[in-house]
């Protein structure tokens, strides 16, 4: 109620923090023990089958009319500190996320199918395909349908891995703010939709690891060379509504230039300055 959320939702936290208990007894740790496949009941297996595809009447939400929400709640925290639970609870309470989970349409890598019609492996294609993804928790950010609320889940560091391939965070960059998803692109290849870029990166990373094992490693610095997923209308919204432009100098990340004017560009892995992130959104109303 102090946040202005009018909700009676009471979240349920199962197995709460058992992994953080020191000198835990067997009974305390028992809820976190993984079940064997034979222990899963028929109903849970049936539920997993039912969520492989969205309902027939499911429709993707329309594009946002306004990219900046009226109110933003940002949950900051280090990895594995309970930020997913808190973000999801607040998402349900504000109406930004469905308590039973929800579907989303994303751009991903195409999958090759074998002669039986089953997925066999990810292709090398640089052309994205629309895919359906079912989420049970708030991943990065969710917005209420009317644009009133946005829940931002910043489990830091944010992203995949550092460009320097360092296992620690010694080369981690700190950015001023995390901008709306529509204006977010990766420096490594700003021509790509960020969701597709992540999918493509991991596919190339797996192949590079296989090449290294075969001593045939080739360096893929850019994610693609030919496919451009630009949206001039959305870039104009980013410039006019969110005030991200190459001339503003206040883009949250690195200001995109030329054909990427309107996008904020980010490294593959980064942390966010909490103070400047809040000030960035406050300065935009």
């Amino acid at each position: 109620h102090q946040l202005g959320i009018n909700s009676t939702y009471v979240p349920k936290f199962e197995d709460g923090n058992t992994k953080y208990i020191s000198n835990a007894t067997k009974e305390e740790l028992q809820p976190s023990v993984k079940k064997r496949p034979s222990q899963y009941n028929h109903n849970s297996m049936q539920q997993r089958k039912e969520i492989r595809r969205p309902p027939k009447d499911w429709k993707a939400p329309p594009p946002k009319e306004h990219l900046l929400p009226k109110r933003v709640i940002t949950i900051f925290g280090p990895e594995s500190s309970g930020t997913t639970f808190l973000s999801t609870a607040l998402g349900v309470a504000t109406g930004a996320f469905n308590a039973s989970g929800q579907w989303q349409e994303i751009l991903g890598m195409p999958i090759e199918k074998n002669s039986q019609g089953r997925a066999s492996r990810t292709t090398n294609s640089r052309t994205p395909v629309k895919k359906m993804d079912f989420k049970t928790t708030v991943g990065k950010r969710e917005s209420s349908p009317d644009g009133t609320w946005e829940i931002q889940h910043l489990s830091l560091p944010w992203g995949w891995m550092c460009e320097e391939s360092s296992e620690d965070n010694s080369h981690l960059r700190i950015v001023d703010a995390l901008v709306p998803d529509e204006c977010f692109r990766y420096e490594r290849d700003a021509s790509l939709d960020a969701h597709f870029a992540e999918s493509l990166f991991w596919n190339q990373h797996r192949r590079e690891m296989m090449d290294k094992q075969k001593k045939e490693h080739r360096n893929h610095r850019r994610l693609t060379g030919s496919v451009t997923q630009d949206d001039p209308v959305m870039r104009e919204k980013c410039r006019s509504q969110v005030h991200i432009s190459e001339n503003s100098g206040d883009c949250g990340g690195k200001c995109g230039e030329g054909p990427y004017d309107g996008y904020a560009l980010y490294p593959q892995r980064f942390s966010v300055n909490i103070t400047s992130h809040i000030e960035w959104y406050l300065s935009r109303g």
Side-chain angles (χ1 to χ4, degrees), residues 7-13 85 89 92-93:
S7 173
T8 58
Y9 170 69
V10 178
K12 181 181 179 182
F13 193 11
F85 166 72
V92 174

Side-chain angles (χ1 to χ4, degrees), residues 56-191:
K56 292 182 179 179
D57 58 349
W58 184 88
K59 292 182 180 179
K64 296 178 185 176
E65 184 177 349
H66 300 285
L67 301 185
L68 287 172
K70 296 177 181 177
R71 303 194 70 177
V72 175
I73 298 179
T74 305
I75 295 87
F76 291 94
E79 294 175 336
S80 302
S81 65
T83 55
T84 298
F85 166 72
L86 182 57
S87 300
T88 303
L90 289 170
V92 174
T94 57
F97 193 77
N98 192 310
S100 302
Q102 62 190 39
W103 288 94
Q104 69 171 353
E105 190 176 72
I106 60 174
L107 294 177
M109 296 290 295
I111 302 293
E112 285 185 357
K113 294 185 177 181
N114 57 26
S115 57
Q116 286 77 35
R118 296 179 179 177
S120 58
R121 63 188 180 90
T122 307
T123 70
N124 274 322
S125 173
R126 302 297 194 269
T127 303
V129 295
K130 290 184 178 180
K131 293 186 175 184
M132 301 306 303
D133 181 42
F134 185 78
K135 299 187 297 183
T136 56
T137 59
V138 170
K140 296 178 179 177
R141 41 197 160 187
E142 296 292 340
S143 300
S144 57
D146 60 1
T148 300
W149 292 96
E150 177 172 288
I151 305 299
Q152 299 177 342
H153 175 202
L154 273 67
S155 179
L156 304 175
W158 208 87
W160 335 322
M161 62 177 66
C162 296
E163 284 86 346
E164 293 82 1
S165 299
S166 174
E167 294 183 359
D168 59 24
N169 294 321
S170 59
H171 300 288
L172 199 67
R173 287 166 55 185
I174 300 176
V175 300
D176 291 333
L178 186 67
V179 302
D181 194 46
E182 294 82 359
C183 310
F184 180 100
R185 292 284 172 118
Y186 286 106
E187 288 180 17
R188 184 170 172 182
D189 199 331
S191 66

Side-chain angles (χ1 to χ4, degrees), residues 181-243:
D181 194 46
E182 294 82 359
C183 310
F184 180 100
R185 292 284 172 118
Y186 286 106
E187 288 180 17
R188 184 170 172 182
D189 199 331
S191 66
L192 294 178
D193 169 85
H195 298 283
F196 177 66
E198 294 171 9
S199 176
L200 180 57
F201 166 80
W202 282 117
N203 183 51
Q204 290 189 345
H205 179 68
R206 286 192 296 267
R207 292 180 182 277
E208 287 177 3
M209 293 302 100
M210 294 174 62
D211 287 345
K212 280 185 177 180
Q213 294 176 358
K214 298 177 182 178
K215 297 182 179 180
E216 297 175 358
H217 174 63
R218 293 174 294 175
N219 182 30
H220 298 282
R221 187 56 190 167
R222 283 176 59 82
L223 293 179
T224 182
S226 57
V227 176
T228 299
Q229 297 154 21
D230 187 25
D231 188 340
V233 175
M234 191 59 67
R235 281 198 295 113
E236 178 54 36
K237 277 190 173 183
C238 291
R239 285 192 293 265
S240 60
Q241 295 184 10
V242 193
H243 309 295

